[in-house]
Amino acid sequence: MKLKSTINTIISSALQEAGIDAPTLSVTNATRKEFGDFQYNGAMSLAKSLGTNPREIASNVSKYIDSNAIEKVEIAGPGFVNIWIDNNWLSQELNAISKDKNLGISRDKKNQKIIVDYSGPNMAKEMHVGHLRSTIIGDTLSNLFEFLGYEVIRQNHIGDWGTQFGMLIAYLEEIQNEGRSYEELKDLEHFYKLAKAKFDSDTSFANKAREYVVKIQSGDNHCLELWQKFIDTSLAHCEEVYDKLGIKLTKNDVRAESSYNDMLPQVIKDLENKGLITISDGAKCVFLPNSEVPLIVQKSDGGYLYATTDLAALKYRGQMLGAKRICYVVDARQSEHFSKVFWVSKEAGFVETDTSLEHIAFGTMMDRSGKPFKTRDGGTVKLIHLLDEAIVRAKDTISSKEALDNDTLEHTAKVIGIGALKYADLSVNRESNYIFDWDKMLSFDGNTALYMQYAYARIQSILRRFDGELNGTINIQSDIEHKLAIALLEFDDILAKTANDAMPNYLTGYLYELATLFMQFYELSPILKEADEIKMSRLLLADLTAKTIKQGLSILGIEVVDKL
Ligand code: ARG
């Protein structure tokens, strides 16, 4: 049930019946109780374009508003239409969705394929916090699109190709030849440093590394074997992180940079055929309107670049996978890269002109002092340690609240710790930088996962104490019930909007409001002490709230527990 969209439709038809030609409209949530539940404020701009009086338009429209969803309308100020939703209608809608396992959300199969390109760690080095953000946001968007009935293709565009791999496999070979164990590979950052030091100090090693770069690219078996071993080890590190984080990416979603290698010469030919290539300093470049800096697609030595691979990937995604919407969840610092690659891929006909290519950009994760998140000596924070720390800290937070047995405590700590970490990331507007703050993210108060998980557990505890069948009906009466009901019926609108704008913080903001309304309702309205009918109605309302919170969190990749 999309409450807001329903009201929009009611107002649109009223306008039509009143003979007023109006653009698509959107009512807003009223900011004060005396303004009702929703407000339509389009009369003012309509009056301007029609040269009439806005109050006249408003009163004309309100005459034609005829729906049992609406209790009353009032015209206020210069021409606002204030709308009150009817309690009987609310009750009826809530009763319908509380019986539906999808909570009344339209999940019909949509005839649109969406690709979500996310995580994309580089195999040469340790996965860093930028990849953590991409992984969390990308997974949420994929879950959401899937939930709404789209066909989603997750793509992990891992960086497994490029000159640094010559050096890394030459070093790996050395370890093998000396019969040493692969201990050093456990820490990729360290391994990289050792290989680099050797590369810088030992010319024959450096020459071999360069030779190996060429050999991997030309398909030499020995080098490819070493390379594969290195990639497998590195990918296993990432999988450990995905697993602990509860991320749905699997090996099947990996579509590595190397997999596009064979397509690259043809990509260049396609661009040449379209007359898009200009040679500049020996390199093949595409010049774009409004930019002096071209997109280089082939270096003067014949080597290809990150951008060339992305063009090949777009060709594959547009032509082979047939995607109509492609979302790249990548650091905001790559925005110029994507705007160029997107433009070129359309000019070249790799994707259709109406395919939506979106850079889902995100900002940098900062520490509490406002500096980019690093280890004390300026290195990369090992993500797996960060996740472990989240769990340890969560354990401290909860063990002080309720006595849980050991296994339950372990499980709960994981759910709370990982949930806190994900939620902290998802609840800020993704385009801004955000401050990573353990205390804030693990707080029971405020817009945190824990606040929502706590509201959920609280409802479960009420249901446990009731210990019976939920079989009555919801009957909305008080003001706070009315507000809670409206929020519950807006879930579907919010999901659609979150998916449309690819903004997970819309959903977190909604869940926070919902949980807050529930807490207010719970404070004002006794449940178990009431007579049967009221008790049942309130229990059902509580249960529906819990289900909505659980569903919302699950889209965010966050679990709930019954006891906290
Ligand atoms: N490996 C890249 C990086 O670490 C991210 C890949 C993003 N996806 C893409 N298709 N370029 O910056």
Side-chain angles (χ1 to χ4, degrees):
M1 155 91 241
K2 289 191 174 68
L3 175 58
K4 210 179 229 171
S5 313
T6 306
I7 307 302
N8 288 339
T9 313
I10 294 171
I11 306 292
S12 291
S13 340
L15 279 159
Q16 223 169 27
E17 280 184 52
I20 303 167
D21 192 18
T24 40
L25 56 88
S26 177
V27 293
T28 54
N29 293 62
T31 47
R32 296 205 340 229
K33 195 171 172 286
E34 55 275 29
F35 298 157
D37 299 312
F38 294 99
Q39 271 196 323
Y40 167 63
N41 55 23
M44 275 71 78
S45 58
L46 272 177
K48 230 180 242 160
S49 60
L50 299 173
T52 49
N53 176 338
R55 274 190 80 97
E56 217 167 275
I57 295 187
S59 93
N60 204 359
V61 173
S62 47
K63 267 188 240 145
Y64 289 96
I65 296 179
D66 175 29
S67 160
N68 53 2
I70 292 175
E71 186 206 332
K72 62 167 180 177
V73 292
E74 262 176 29
I75 297 156
F80 292 106
V81 180
N82 296 342
I83 303 159
W84 278 260
I85 308 294
D86 182 74
N87 275 344
N88 285 332
W89 183 82
L90 284 175
S91 308
Q92 179 192 314
E93 292 300 322
L94 288 174
N95 283 314
I97 69 169
S98 77
K99 288 188 190 73
D100 176 13
K101 70 174 191 328
N102 291 321
L103 307 172
I105 308 229
S106 24
R107 295 189 62 195
D108 314 342
K109 280 233 159 321
K110 313 266 188 308
N111 201 5
Q112 193 192 39
K113 232 182 237 180
I114 308 183
I115 290 180
V116 187
D117 178 317
Y118 69 104
S119 199
N122 295 326
M123 295 294 105
K125 287 193 176 180
E126 205 71 54
M127 209 172 156
H128 59 70
V129 286
H131 298 119
L132 181 68
R133 294 211 67 190
S134 169
T135 306
I136 293 174
I137 299 169
D139 209 51
T140 286
L141 292 175
S142 308
N143 294 343
L144 175 60
F145 297 147
E146 237 159 42
F147 184 73
L148 294 179
Y150 294 96
E151 184 184 337
V152 176
I153 306 178
R154 299 167 192 244
Q155 295 272 274
N156 193 355
H157 191 85
I158 63 170
D160 64 344
W161 212 232
T163 48
Q164 68 277 50
F165 289 98
M167 168 183 101
L168 294 167
I169 65 165
Y171 193 69
L172 182 64
E173 185 182 41
E174 218 148 88
I175 291 181
Q176 272 183 0
N177 289 348
E178 287 166 18
R180 281 191 277 149
S181 73
Y182 294 117
E183 257 326 277
E184 280 135 309
L185 264 183
K186 285 216 174 101
D187 185 338
L188 280 184
E189 207 65 21
H190 185 58
F191 184 90
Y192 190 94
K193 274 188 198 139
L194 294 175
K196 180 81 171 68
K198 180 127 189 146
F199 184 87
D200 291 339
S201 62
D202 179 339
T203 3
S204 76
F205 178 82
N207 287 336
K208 187 184 217 174
R210 287 193 197 96
E211 183 193 319
Y212 276 13
V213 176
V214 183
K215 281 192 163 174
I216 308 176
Q217 308 217 345
S218 59
D220 173 86
N221 269 341
H222 171 66
C223 285
L224 277 181
E225 239 166 68
L226 284 167
W227 171 79
Q228 194 62 54
K229 165 140 191 80
F230 185 84
I231 301 297
D232 289 347
T233 314
S234 184
L235 197 56
H237 287 293
C238 301
E239 278 166 348
E240 203 187 332
V241 171
Y242 297 154
D243 192 47
K244 201 156 253 177
L245 257 183
I247 292 298
K248 298 210 183 78
L249 280 175
T250 68
K251 276 214 168 59
N252 289 336
D253 304 313
V254 171
R255 184 79 198 173
E257 285 187 12
S258 63
S259 72
Y260 298 105
N261 197 42
D262 293 344
M263 287 174 74
L264 303 179
Q266 186 59 42
V267 163
I268 302 295
K269 272 191 208 139
D270 292 338
L271 299 178
E272 278 167 344
N273 291 341
K274 288 270 175 187
L276 288 164
I277 298 285
T278 308
I279 311 277
S280 169
D281 288 335
K284 291 186 179 162
C285 302
V286 181
F287 280 87
L288 296 91
N290 310 324
S291 170
E292 276 163 32
V293 189
L295 185 74
I296 306 176
V297 291
Q298 191 171 18
K299 292 187 282 189
S300 54
D301 66 4
Y304 301 106
L305 299 102
Y306 181 54
T308 329
T309 305
D310 259 327
L311 286 170
L314 270 160
K315 190 175 169 188
Y316 170 73
R317 292 166 183 188
Q319 298 181 354
M320 306 293 285
L321 300 181
K324 277 306 206 184
R325 180 177 184 189
I326 312 181
C327 300
Y328 288 81
V329 189
V330 187
D331 194 306
R333 283 168 287 197
Q334 293 193 31
S335 72
E336 198 178 317
H337 164 78
F338 283 111
S339 77
K340 288 182 172 169
V341 164
F342 291 169
W343 185 87
V344 175
S345 70
K346 290 213 168 168
E347 284 298 301
F350 293 162
V351 292
E352 283 167 33
T353 39
D354 62 348
T355 300
S356 174
L357 302 179
E358 300 166 32
H359 177 202
I360 311 298
F362 55 81
T364 309
M365 185 157 131
M366 307 291 203
D367 63 21
R368 271 163 87 160
S369 64
K371 295 202 199 74
F373 201 78
K374 292 266 164 66
T375 56
R376 234 170 266 137
D377 57 6
T380 317
V381 177
K382 259 185 163 265
L383 292 185
I384 203 80
H385 293 166
L386 196 73
L387 306 188
D388 289 337
E389 184 169 355
I391 298 170
V392 170
R393 284 179 182 260
K395 203 183 277 179
D396 282 349
T397 311
I398 48 173
S399 52
S400 55
K401 281 254 169 184
E402 181 148 356
L404 301 169
D405 67 68
N406 224 6
D407 282 356
T408 318
L409 179 64
E410 290 299 324
H411 174 72
T412 308
K414 195 171 169 215
V415 169
I416 301 300
I418 297 299
L421 201 88
K422 284 181 164 176
Y423 195 92
D425 193 318
L426 295 164
S427 57
V428 288
N429 177 326
R430 60 173 161 75
E431 284 167 351
S432 350
N433 295 340
Y434 91 94
I435 309 266
F436 188 89
D437 181 341
W438 287 118
D439 295 335
K440 213 171 128 202
M441 74 174 83
L442 279 164
S443 162
F444 277 90
D445 296 314
N447 188 8
T448 62
L450 193 48
Y451 179 71
M452 248 68 78
Q453 287 162 324
Y454 183 61
Y456 178 86
R458 194 122 188 220
I459 297 173
Q460 299 315 308
S461 134
I462 301 169
L463 294 170
R464 274 196 302 275
R465 274 186 284 143
F466 166 64
D467 194 24
E469 284 266 321
L470 293 179
N471 55 12
T473 52
I474 297 176
N475 189 4
I476 297 299
Q477 286 174 331
S478 68
D479 277 357
I480 185 68
E481 286 177 348
H482 179 87
K483 278 196 194 157
L484 184 59
I486 287 183
L488 285 166
L489 292 173
E490 277 187 293
F491 187 38
D492 203 0
D493 291 297
I494 295 292
L495 292 179
K497 196 160 134 67
T498 305
N500 189 56
D501 298 357
M503 283 294 205
N505 65 312
Y506 296 173
L507 177 55
T508 57
Y510 165 80
L511 292 173
Y512 179 47
E513 198 188 300
L514 179 68
T516 306
L517 283 172
F518 176 79
M519 292 301 201
Q520 287 170 10
F521 159 74
Y522 185 56
E523 236 163 69
L524 294 169
S525 335
I527 299 184
L528 297 174
K529 281 189 240 137
E530 290 290 338
D532 273 355
E533 258 173 48
I534 297 183
K535 174 164 68 182
M536 199 48 89
S537 169
R538 290 185 180 166
L539 279 169
L540 283 165
L541 209 48
D543 183 52
L544 186 57
T545 306
K547 285 180 178 151
T548 307
I549 292 177
K550 182 178 180 179
Q551 183 55 63
L553 288 178
S554 141
I555 289 171
L556 302 172
I558 299 172
E559 291 176 63
V560 289
V561 285
D562 287 347
K563 279 188 195 165
L564 245 183

